[in-house]
Amino acid sequence: MTSSSSLSLDGLDLNQVFFKSISNAHPPSQTNHHAKISVIGVGNVGMAIAQTILTQDLVDELALVDANSDKLRGEMLDLQHAAAFLPRTKIVASVDYTVTAGSDLCIVTAGARQNPGESRLNLLQRNLAMYNSIVPELVKYSPECILLIVSNPVDVLTYVAWKLSGFPVNRVIGSGTNLDSSRFRFLIADHLDVNALDVQAYIVGEHGDSSVALWSSISVGGIPVLSFLEKQQIAFEKDTLEKIHKQVVESAYEVINLKGYTSWAIGYSVANLAFSIIRDQRRIHPVSILAKGFYGINGGDVFLSLPAQLGNGVLGVTIVHLTDEEIQQLRNSAETILEVQNQLGI
């Protein structure tokens, strides 16, 4: 796509300077005028996503799928009864995946719950079995869709969805650290007493304990924070930075301990991603994508979060300059994911 306002310097395409394509990506598919999103799984997370999407006037049709037919019908009716207060959207639901036909975006939130004493690997194997029944059906009825994976562990399951779908890598995305980065921005904003919208900060890597906080790239109001403090000869404690990152990692655990589950923040986060994809916004989001070839990650096909430009799929990865320490932490995070992934045997 060309733009009359595209920036160039003596014929230099700046888009190619700022962004790097992921390997084996296909050109973006054409968007349909009739926008449709399907949400697979109507638990707390799935419904928070569905509700938030409806309030954004984002789609013409929203399809819900779940194995529990009674709960599914109840959730559908509950949303339909709010029609007078929402933008006009057709809401349909079924245990049959035919209802998802023609979707532009399929959001998968379904996943097995961990049983007491169950190993992470056994939980993953059960989720793999579940994905074996979900992903082929979505591909069958919406062969041109984009898959957005939300189920945890999201990085490994995004890889699973990619392998099962046969889709090009730019059409399979994990929600990744988009929410982690929002929590990060909130905590920094709270620490500095500014609006979180004015904070640019990323958590990358695994959506989990090995995530990496990119301190070197934090800016507030366009001002790089750490370099500003150094130039002003203002001392800052690295322990303070680590405490903020630890709070980000532990945030979800705290919410789960208090209310039993997380829902609203992930609902807003995923709806935010859906908006960028459906409306071809070309915004930068830290999401789980195929990271092979970036920052020296070459050990295998691993999905982890990097700042990516989202429109009708993944359009490119932002070339963020990381410190040597951050690069090593990112590679360690990739190895952590690969260790688990390799045990699945796919």
Side-chain angles (χ1 to χ4, degrees):
M1 185 180 82
T2 59
S3 170
S4 59
S5 62
S6 61
L7 292 173
S8 64
L9 295 173
D10 297 326
L12 175 65
D13 185 351
L14 290 184
N15 182 269
Q16 300 300 316
V17 175
F18 285 108
F19 301 103
K20 179 181 176 183
S21 297
I22 54 178
S23 58
N24 301 316
H26 286 205
S29 55
Q30 295 299 310
T31 54
N32 299 321
H33 177 70
H34 179 85
K36 179 176 179 178
I37 291 178
S38 291
V39 177
I40 315 306
V42 296
N44 296 314
V45 171
M47 290 313 299
I49 293 169
Q51 186 271 339
T52 311
I53 285 172
L54 286 173
T55 62
Q56 291 186 340
D57 194 13
L58 184 55
V59 291
D60 301 291
E61 184 174 353
L62 178 68
L64 306 175
V65 177
D66 197 277
N68 185 334
S69 59
D70 287 345
K71 177 173 172 54
L72 181 63
R73 178 167 171 76
E75 295 289 8
M76 179 192 71
L77 291 173
D78 211 4
L79 289 177
Q80 288 176 338
H81 295 167
F85 316 115
L86 292 168
R88 186 173 181 270
T89 304
K90 181 180 179 181
I91 304 169
V92 295
S94 177
V95 296
D96 193 317
Y97 283 86
T98 54
V99 77
T100 66
S103 294
D104 299 289
L105 177 66
C106 292
I107 302 172
V108 185
T109 72
R113 289 190 176 185
Q114 192 164 13
N115 296 320
E118 184 179 25
S119 70
R120 188 183 184 195
L121 180 59
N122 193 66
L123 175 64
L124 263 173
Q125 293 286 6
R126 291 200 293 125
N127 274 320
L128 176 58
M130 188 177 291
Y131 267 53
N132 269 312
S133 64
I134 293 172
V135 175
E137 291 294 294
L138 296 177
V139 172
K140 177 181 177 182
Y141 292 108
S142 300
E144 299 301 318
C145 77
I146 293 167
L147 292 176
L148 177 53
I149 308 303
V150 183
S151 320
N152 280 317
V154 68
D155 301 298
V156 176
L157 289 178
T158 304
Y159 167 79
V160 168
W162 173 55
K163 296 295 281 187
L164 292 174
S165 68
F167 280 0
V169 290
N170 51 313
R171 282 173 48 205
V172 183
I173 306 164
S175 56
T177 58
N178 194 55
L179 176 53
D180 307 63
S181 296
S182 174
R183 290 167 174 152
F184 193 34
R185 292 169 64 188
F186 161 72
L187 290 169
I188 293 168
D190 191 52
H191 198 74
L192 299 176
D193 194 23
V194 297
N195 193 310
L197 289 173
D198 293 320
V199 177
Q200 187 78 10
Y202 293 121
I203 298 286
V204 297
E206 179 196 19
H207 172 58
D209 295 343
S210 73
S211 64
V212 182
L214 299 187
W215 294 106
S216 62
S217 65
I218 295 174
S219 66
V220 176
I223 301 171
V225 172
L226 295 192
S227 60
F228 174 79
L229 293 177
E230 288 172 0
K231 288 178 182 177
Q232 298 296 316
Q233 297 183 335
I234 300 172
F236 60 90
E237 294 290 335
K238 191 172 182 180
D239 286 349
T240 302
L241 307 183
E242 291 304 323
K243 284 178 183 176
I244 293 175
H245 182 215
K246 187 179 179 183
Q247 278 184 274
V248 172
V249 173
E250 294 178 349
S251 291
Y253 299 125
E254 182 181 9
V255 174
I256 291 168
N257 286 336
L258 291 170
K259 61 176 275 190
Y261 55 90
T262 60
S263 57
W264 294 118
I266 186 63
Y268 279 103
S269 173
V270 174
N272 179 246
L273 297 176
F275 190 92
S276 289
I277 293 167
I278 294 292
R279 294 283 174 85
D280 195 22
Q281 291 293 291
R282 297 171 183 257
R283 290 187 61 195
I284 312 301
H285 296 274
V287 288
S288 190
I289 59 169
L290 183 65
K292 189 175 183 179
F294 293 98
Y295 303 105
I297 299 171
N298 292 304
D301 292 331
V302 61
F303 279 71
L304 52 72
S305 287
L306 294 172
Q309 186 186 37
L310 295 188
N312 192 17
V314 179
L315 305 179
V317 176
T318 312
I319 307 303
V320 180
H321 292 286
L322 310 185
T323 65
D324 290 343
E325 182 182 6
E326 288 168 344
I327 290 173
Q328 188 55 55
Q329 289 175 337
L330 188 60
R331 290 174 182 170
N332 293 342
S333 189
E335 289 175 8
T336 298
I337 297 167
L338 274 169
E339 283 178 14
V340 177
Q341 194 171 285
N342 290 337
Q343 296 178 68
L344 293 177
I346 61 171

